[in-house]
């Protein structure tokens, strides 16, 4: 059952002419689905969320909850729980009062309300902070209050605008498990904005990738990760190498391209790839799918290490292959590897994927 | 690892549509954005504003037009051109009034903001007391207040004569007279406009913004100049408007210090002359000047945003290492206390001295309780006080309800005629009280549409109504200034949690506006208790306010009993200040000030 | 006040009085009135206002008059009210006894008291001998900055005095210049203009100035009732005498108003008022108090018609061209 | 050369009794060093930064810049450039005016100032936004203005309080490279707060890990990652399994413990481990260092998969090994793996490390 629908929704802030903050967006979210908006800073995520919440009216297009048109319904009649990007906590209320606000409006009894507030606070690891004034909390603590305030009312739709951005990895992970649990239990439809792709991947049923106000791709996390539609999506979701390779032959499902080491490889391609022999194909491959080897064999290109970065779980290398910078993430790089070393990179055929520009 | 299908399913790739749908016109979009209602509630702003607009139109704007019509009626062209001919009284009155008003704004601004800084940023012994007496100057009864200034600072005043004694000079030292005297009185009686709004704004400001400026290397002065004062703009604009208009319409001070070429004096003189059209011309010019100033200020304020964009709520805590500041603050406020209380003390001196006994001495030679005995031996002694209290209270309540709503509408809602509404509210403040009162009498001496067919003159209600119309601008302005600081996202959050507009407004927006609203309400109340010029034209024997009572005593030159009544009024207002200080702002403010000095 | 003529239950209608008289005077008179007419007990409402404010108020309330009696106003003010059709025309019993100069020909207003304008001085600082004897003496250089004047343009009394000074030197008012010159010299000697009567008394008593021109009644009241150090000189060339009058407001409770006004001219009451409040009645009374009998009132011969015609122009000229320029 | 010193610095917000927000912290930062504070939300990072900036005075202890005691020096005399966690932008100034503010105070000429503002804005990818009002920016854009404002003045000390928390991964990475470049070029000492461990690892010269106001460990990223001092640090930095294993023998550098599959293994240990035979040792091993295998051999323990999470680069598994939940991050998990499957986990001896509780 479809729960939230955005139908060619656009939003412009200044009068005519200027670019739209949100540009002709079509999204449908099923009931109970956990849907994530992902995209670079300033791409229109918050604006979209605010239109769903009812704080902005679309310049054009409509928004539907179920089969009701809510485009111009006032925010308090929408039953959405929103975590604002800037928290929007009530400075004149204590932590507990902030969280209890929505319950009071819903006329939840005092005892029940107290219980639920306490539960919500402990869900965000703030048990015992109820009596504090908001300005006596750290940034991350404030963010958690904002989250608790939205969760506690068990709204029909949850709108979460980067609700975990100021939390440490550990807490973020715990909290997102908590959010998912609450959301699943109540079957709440959720629209989630995050800048953290790992989070988006881990939590979402589906993801929409936005760029400059437009939706570039909608799909399940794995789909978006493994089959990005455009080079933007490929580069934005995780890290990706998008290589421009000459097309040697173009079939309906496979396009043959020439690798920098002159070997040929057939790459899986969407049906409408529109490429022809002699053109240039954009081929995406993820850094972690590139193997390091010292052997020279077909499908292995060689390059020189130009940068090295240790990130904990893996080591990121930037390898210069015939002038193109290729990123490689190696979990177990050869010991003693250093900038300037020559390396062989194995580019597995089955990990390559053709993308649109 | 999952296998990779040849094509992503087409459904997941959004259709690329051509041109984006064109927008439906900027004006309408902005209007609808702000407005947060359902399909039929796009009229919401109008619904909210319409009754207010009607009231204002009926009671202020329309009579104002009548005034204007009168001014152009007979020899309108001649009346108005007299303002442009270089030698006329009209022109020099206008210039004098403008100079006095501009200088008053400047002086009140300096004093008021300095006091706000002192009291809101430092904690020192006696701070609470000063907070309580800070409004006393505004509370001085008009006639007595001015006389106490004369007794203090004029050629025959305590200070010049005292200094004359001390230095043994032939002439009194440092007497104030003319425009200087007017400015002293204006500064003294009007700085509370600045003090109250600046204090409310300082309390509502995001402290981290100030910290950011310090962090970037700005010194204290620079932070004030480039961050704090600009951030206080809405408050300062509000206070400037009030002071400017009050000064323009000020009557007693120029009168007492013999500056008679002012607009208000000319209005009075022309009315005495029986030249009503010319008087109306002056009143209209006064109105036009005020409106122009208002529009200028609106434009100036509207250029920027003053609400914090910070994430979350910043800690209201700052630690000052320098104990010197504390002692300086203490010294400065001791001085302030003396200056503030001097006129009150003078009134007390008069109240406790026998009439006619204090002539050429520096301070009276003999004291008596007789004046108070005289007052209290009248069985109805308290009636005027109770009347004033009751009527000002009613008017203040009305001002708060309506003023806050209009402030909200003008700041937050986008509808046609916002600026007009703003001007309409302020007009009542820009016009001399006499003109407003006469307008009201005309409007309510017979029933008309705006008075819902009611005849109000001769009834109790005309007085609170007059106070309401006259003092609405005070509450409106200072509420509007605090509202400028409040992030609309807070209201949005409340709405999002299910609160209706009213509820969100009441539990969040209004609550955060409260310092400004209280400041405005205090001003309205205090001015209501002291109001004379309009009251004298509309009071009845049942509603005689304290100011009329004082005036009667002054008229028969019973200065002693007049001063005794004045003392009662001052005490009354002092009590109100203390109570309201405890009510809300006081406690929080002192907590905050304490935190600033830690 | 206002409304129809008689009340249903036979009792009298409320009576509303706007008065510029001192509160003590008005209270005293009303007490006497209700003593004599007990049916008016609790029915008389007094509002104490300034003379100018009464005019403003009555004028503004024209559509629905609230006042019944306008008690206390200058000749000019009352005449303005009459010409604006605010006042009832009638002929009371005392009218016949009254000099025609002191009342409206059509009976719309009547003089109540006469206010001679005299020279006032601080009698702590000056002996009666030192005080100037006539108007022209005020121009002597010895009084430089020793004169305090209640500001002219806004005060009916002062306007009349100043206009008289001009009319004195130009009988038909056609050449005000000699009067202007005279006033310019007076301005040169004037140290301060006082904002209102209270300010005037204060300035004079505190010796910011020593001399003034003021009405006799107030000088006597201040000296005798408020201990002020004031004395007066009846100018040798005469004192301009102003009429202060009263009227029944049109559309008000005319019956009550007329009853009250008639009562005001009660012989006994007039005598009391003259004795205690130094009022000089506009009609002759049987027993004059001692001070009045001894007062050698020398009225200046002022043509009030000429003054009335020119006052506005003259005073505007004085205000714009003479004040503070001498 | 030591540039910033915190000497037993404590900060309590309420008078007596209450717990300290910062508790007896000793930190020395060398000139030009990039030093990071890492720790859970509410552990006292911002408070520490604010004491260095001069907004709070330590309840006890002192702060030195070089050899000058600045404990009570006013903030404007410290020449620190701070990015506030809440941005603290000047709402009444345009973007460009915000950035130019510090330059104006430093009396930089108009042309030079304009140039530097433009440069700073383009460094944070906001070229062309100079004339905008602050309230017309998205959350991430505001954060970047705050960053540009601090960077442009080239302060002696940079204090960065989660300056990238609202940026998407792509931009975050670019920006952090930019910050590092600027910081290195000018030799600016930097104190950085982040909740993102990968970021901390990639950028920092040294890291201090804080917990409830106290510093638990200070060291280079690799050191903290591979040799965490306490189980808190091990768990907080990256993800880690901390297994409680019986001690079979305790040497000065090695402690022998018994694995759940009963095999023995000698684990490298710090000299002062203080363990004895018969006690229980806490052994930390990172999820990504655990190999998946179907073979049963010594050092391989078996367990049942209880949770599966796909995160893009790797798949996270929770494996129940004899009642203990072990986290595993597999880059290439066996195809078709599902909850309930039995798996062998290889725990390499050289990846284990003994930690304090
Ligand atoms: N003004 C204050 N009054 C009282 N307690 C405060 C105040 N400011 C912060 N605290 C408390 O001090 C502790 C440390 O706060 P701090 O802001 O330093 O945390 P943080 O490490 O920056 O956390 P985050 O990552 O969430 O921003 C927190 O528990 C917080 O609740
Ligand atoms: N009130 C406004 N007036 C004008 N432009 C605006 C306004 N609010 C946002 N914008 C612009 O619209 C675009 C989209 O903003 P939005 O807040 O939706 O971005 P976002 O995707 O949430 O970004 P972030 O991740 O940085 O929060 C941005 O380029 C922003 O500058
Ligand atoms: Fe993050
Ligand atoms: Mg956003
Ligand atoms: Mg923090």
């Amino acid at each position: 059952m479809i729960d939230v629908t955005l139908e060619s929704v656009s939003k412009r802030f200044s009068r005519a002419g200027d670019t739209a903050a949100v540009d002709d967006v079509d999204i449908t979210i099923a009931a109970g689905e956990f849907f994530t908006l992902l995209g670079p800073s300033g791409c229109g995520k918050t604006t979209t969320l605010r239109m769903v919440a009812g704080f902005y009216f679309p310049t054009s297009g409509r928004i539907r909850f179920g089969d009701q048109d809510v485009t111009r319904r006032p925010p308090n009649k929408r039953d959405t729980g929103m975590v604002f990007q800037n928290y929007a906590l009530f400075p004149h209320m204590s932590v507990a009062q902030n969280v209890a606000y929505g319950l009071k409006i819903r006329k939840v009894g005092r005892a029940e309300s107290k219980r639920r507030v306490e539960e919500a606070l402990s869900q965000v690891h703030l048990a015992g902070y109820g009596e504090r004034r908001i300005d006596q909390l750290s940034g991350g603590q404030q963010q958690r209050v904002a989250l608790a305030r939205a969760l506690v009312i068990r709204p029909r739709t949850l709108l979460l605008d980067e609700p975990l951005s100021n939390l440490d990895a550990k807490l973020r992970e715990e909290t997102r498990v908590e959010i998912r649990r609450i959301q699943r239990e109540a079957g709440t439809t959720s629209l989630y904005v995050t800048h953290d792709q790992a989070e988006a991947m881990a939590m979402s049923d589906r993801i929409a990738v936005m760029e400059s106000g437009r939706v570039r791709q909608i799909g399940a996390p794995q789909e978006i990760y493994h089959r990005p539609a455009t080079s933007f999506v490929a580069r934005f979701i995780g890290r990706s190498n998008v290589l421009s390779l000459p097309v040697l032959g173009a079939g309906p499902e496979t396009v043959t391209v020439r690798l920098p080491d002159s070997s040929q490889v057939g790459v899986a391609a969407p049906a409408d790839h529109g490429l022809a022999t002699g053109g240039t194909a954009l081929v995406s491959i993820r850094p972690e799918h590139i193997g390091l080897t010292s052997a020279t064999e077909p499908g292995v290109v060689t390059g020189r290490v130009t940068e090295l970065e240790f990130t904990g779980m893996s080591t990121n290398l930037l390898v210069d292959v015939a002038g193109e910078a290729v990123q490689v993430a190696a979990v177990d790089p050869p010991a003693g590897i250093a900038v300037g070393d020559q390396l062989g990179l194995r580019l597995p055929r089955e990990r390559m994927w053709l993308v649109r520009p | 690892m999952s296998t990779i299908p040849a094509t992503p399913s087409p459904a997941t790739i959004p259709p690329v549509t051509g041109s984006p749908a064109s927008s439906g016109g900027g004006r309408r979009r902005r209007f609808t954005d702000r407005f947060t209602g359902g399909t039929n509630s796009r009229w919401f702003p109008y619904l909210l504003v319409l009754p207010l607009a009607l009231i204002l139109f009926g009671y202020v704007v329309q009579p104002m037009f009548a005034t204007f019509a009168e001014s152009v009626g007979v020899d309108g062209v001649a009346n108005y051109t007299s303002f442009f001919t270089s030698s006329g009284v009209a022109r020099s009155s206008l210039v004098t009034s403008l100079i006095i008003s501009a200088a008053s704004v400047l002086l009140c601004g300096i004093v008021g903001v300095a006091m706000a800084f002192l009291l809101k940023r430092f904690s020192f012994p006696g701070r609470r007391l000063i907070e309580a007496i800070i409004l006393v100057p505004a509370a001085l009864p008009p006639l007595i207040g001015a006389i106490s200034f004369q007794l203090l600072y004029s050629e025959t005043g305590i200070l010049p004569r005292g200094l004359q004694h001390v230095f043994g000079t032939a002439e009194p030292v440092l007497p104030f007279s003319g425009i200087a005297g007017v400015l002293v009185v204006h500064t003294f009686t009007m700085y509370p406009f600045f003090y109250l709004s600046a204090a409310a704004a300082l309390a509502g400001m995001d402290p981290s913004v100030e910290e950011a400026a310090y962090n970037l290397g700005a010194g204290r002065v620079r932070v004030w100049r480039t961050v704090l004062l600009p951030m206080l703009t809405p408050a300062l604009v509000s206070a400037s408007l009030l002071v400017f208009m009050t000064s323009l319409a000020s009557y007693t001070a120029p009168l007492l210090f013999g500056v008679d070429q002012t607009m208000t004096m000319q209005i009075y003189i022309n009315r005495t002359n029986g030249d009503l059209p010319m008087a109306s011309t002056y009143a209209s010019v006064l109105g036009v000047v005020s409106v122009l100033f208002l529009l200028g200020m609106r434009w100036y304020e509207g250029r920027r945003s003053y609400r914090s964009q910070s994430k979350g709520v910043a800690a209201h805590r700052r630690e000052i290492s320098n104990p010197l500041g504390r002692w300086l603050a203490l010294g400065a406020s001791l001085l302030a206390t003396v200056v503030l209380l001097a006129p009150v003390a003078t009134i007390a001196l008069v109240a406790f001295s026998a009439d006619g006994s204090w002539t050429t001495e520096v301070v009276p030679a003999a004291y008596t309780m007789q004046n108070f005995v005289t007052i209290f031996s009248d069985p109805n002694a308290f009636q005027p006080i109770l009347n004033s209290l009751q009527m000002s209270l009613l008017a203040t309540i009305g001002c708060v309800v309506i003023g806050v709503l209009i402030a909200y509408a003008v700041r937050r809602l986008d509808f046609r005629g916002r600026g007009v509404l703003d001007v309409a509210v302020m007009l009542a403040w820009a016009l001399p009280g006499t003109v407003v009162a006469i307008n009201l009498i005309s409007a309510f001496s017979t029933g008309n549409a705006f008075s819902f067919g009611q005849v109000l003159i001769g009834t109790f209600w005309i007085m609170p109504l007059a106070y309401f119309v006259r003092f609405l601008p005070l509450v409106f302005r200072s509420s509007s200034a605090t509202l400028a600081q409040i992030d609309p996202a807070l209201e949005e959050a409340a709405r999002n949690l299910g609160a209706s507009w009213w509820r969100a407004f009441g539990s969040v927006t209004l609550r955060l506006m409260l310092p400004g609203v209280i400041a405005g309400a205090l001003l309205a109340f205090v001015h209501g208790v002291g109001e004379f010029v309009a009251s004298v034209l509309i009071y009845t024997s049942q509603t005689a306010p304290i100011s009329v009572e004082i005036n009667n005593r002054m008229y028969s030159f019973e200065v002693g009993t007049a001063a005794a009544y004045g003392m009662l009024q001052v005490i009354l207002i002092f009590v109100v200040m203390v109570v309201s200080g405890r009510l809300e702002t006081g406690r929080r403010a002192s907590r905050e000030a304490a935190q600033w000095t830690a | 006040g206002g409304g129809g003529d008689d009340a249903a239950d036979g009792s009298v209608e409320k009576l509303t009085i706007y008065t510029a008289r001192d509160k003590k005077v008005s209270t005293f008179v009303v007490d006497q009135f209700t003593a004599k007419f007990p049916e008016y007990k609790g029915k008389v409402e007094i509002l104490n206002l300034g003379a100018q404010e009464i005019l403003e108020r009555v004028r503004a309330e024209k559509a629905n008059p609230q006042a019944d009696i306008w008690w206390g106003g200058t000749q000019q003010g009352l005449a303005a009210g009459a010409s604006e059709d605010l006042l009832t025309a009638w002929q009371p019993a005392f009218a016949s006894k009254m000099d025609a100069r002191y009342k409206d020909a059509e009976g719309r207003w009547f003089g109540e008291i006469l206010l001679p304008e005299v020279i006032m001085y601080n009698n702590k600082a000056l002996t009666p001998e030192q005080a100037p004897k006539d108007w022209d003496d005020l121009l002597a250089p010895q009084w430089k900055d020793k004169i305090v004047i209640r500001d002219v343009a806004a005060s009916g009394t002062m306007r009349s005095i100043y206009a008289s000074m001009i009319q004195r030197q130009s009988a038909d008012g056609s050449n005000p210049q000699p009067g202007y010159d005279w006033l310019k010299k007076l301005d040169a000697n004037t140290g301060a203009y006082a904002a209102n009567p209270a300010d005037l008394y204060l300035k004079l008593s505190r010796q910011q100035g020593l001399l003034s021109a003021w009405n006799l009644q107030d000088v006597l009241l201040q000296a005798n009732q408020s201990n002020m150090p004031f004395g007066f000189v009846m100018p040798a060339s005469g004192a301009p005498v102003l009429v202060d009058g009263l009227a029944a407001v049109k559309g008000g409770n005319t019956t009550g108003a007329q009853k009250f006004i008639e009562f005001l001219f009660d012989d006994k009451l007039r005598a009391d008022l003259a004795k205690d409040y130094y009022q000089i009645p506009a009609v002759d009374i049987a027993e004059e108090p001692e001070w009045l009998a001894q007062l050698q009132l020398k009225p200046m011969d002022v043509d009030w018609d000429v003054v009335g015609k020119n006052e506005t122009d003259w005073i505007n000229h004085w205000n714009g061209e003479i004040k503070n320029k001498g």
Side-chain angles (χ1 to χ4, degrees), chain C residues 86-116:
Chain C
L86 302 172
L87 309 177
T88 310
W90 62 302
Q91 288 303 328
F94 59 79
S96 55
K97 294 191 285 177
M98 191 177 285
D99 191 316
R101 284 182 296 169
Y102 301 151
K103 62 182 183 188
D104 177 47
E106 294 169 42
R108 294 171 296 188
W109 61 267
F110 302 92
E112 188 204 358
I113 51 179
L114 303 180
L115 299 170

Side-chain angles (χ1 to χ4, degrees), chain A residues 160-324:
Chain A
L160 305 155
D161 199 350
E162 309 202 357
L164 310 176
S165 63
N166 278 78
L167 305 185
D168 56 281
K170 196 106 209 129
L171 189 54
R172 203 157 68 234
E173 217 155 298
E174 286 170 24
T175 315
R176 80 193 193 201
V177 169
E178 198 68 26
I179 294 177
R180 266 309 245 163
R181 192 185 57 71
I182 295 171
Q183 184 260 339
R184 277 216 190 88
E185 273 174 14
T188 315
T189 309
S190 305
L191 189 48
Y192 191 82
V193 170
T194 179
H195 60 255
D196 186 329
Q197 293 144 19
E199 200 163 286
M201 293 290 168
M203 297 179 81
S204 317
D205 293 325
R206 279 190 307 148
I207 294 175
V209 181
M210 293 181 72
E211 185 195 4
S212 342
R214 287 170 162 274
V215 171
R216 296 297 178 196
Q217 186 172 6
I218 298 183
Q222 303 239 2
E223 193 177 325
I224 290 203
Y225 191 80
H226 289 299
R227 278 167 283 153
T230 70
S231 62
F232 168 78
V233 176
R235 284 211 182 88
F236 187 77
I237 303 293
R239 293 181 311 157
S240 190
N241 298 294
V242 178
L243 309 171
S244 301
L245 302 177
V247 176
L248 301 180
E253 295 194 345
T254 326
V255 171
T256 311
V257 296
R258 191 171 58 229
L259 291 184
D261 71 334
S262 305
S263 65
Q264 299 182 8
V265 63
V267 179
D272 56 347
H273 59 70
L275 292 171
T277 310
T280 307
L282 294 176
V283 174
S284 141
I285 185 165
R286 301 267 170 208
E288 72 271 22
H289 292 150
I290 298 180
L292 294 188
T293 174
S294 46
T296 38
E297 47 185 272
V300 170
V301 299
T302 53
R304 204 173 53 82
V305 177
T306 55
E307 266 182 44
L308 254 181
E309 192 188 47
F310 175 75
T311 60
M313 204 163 99
S314 65
T315 301
N316 295 333
L317 301 94
L318 212 56
V319 183
D320 180 75
V321 178
E324 264 200 275

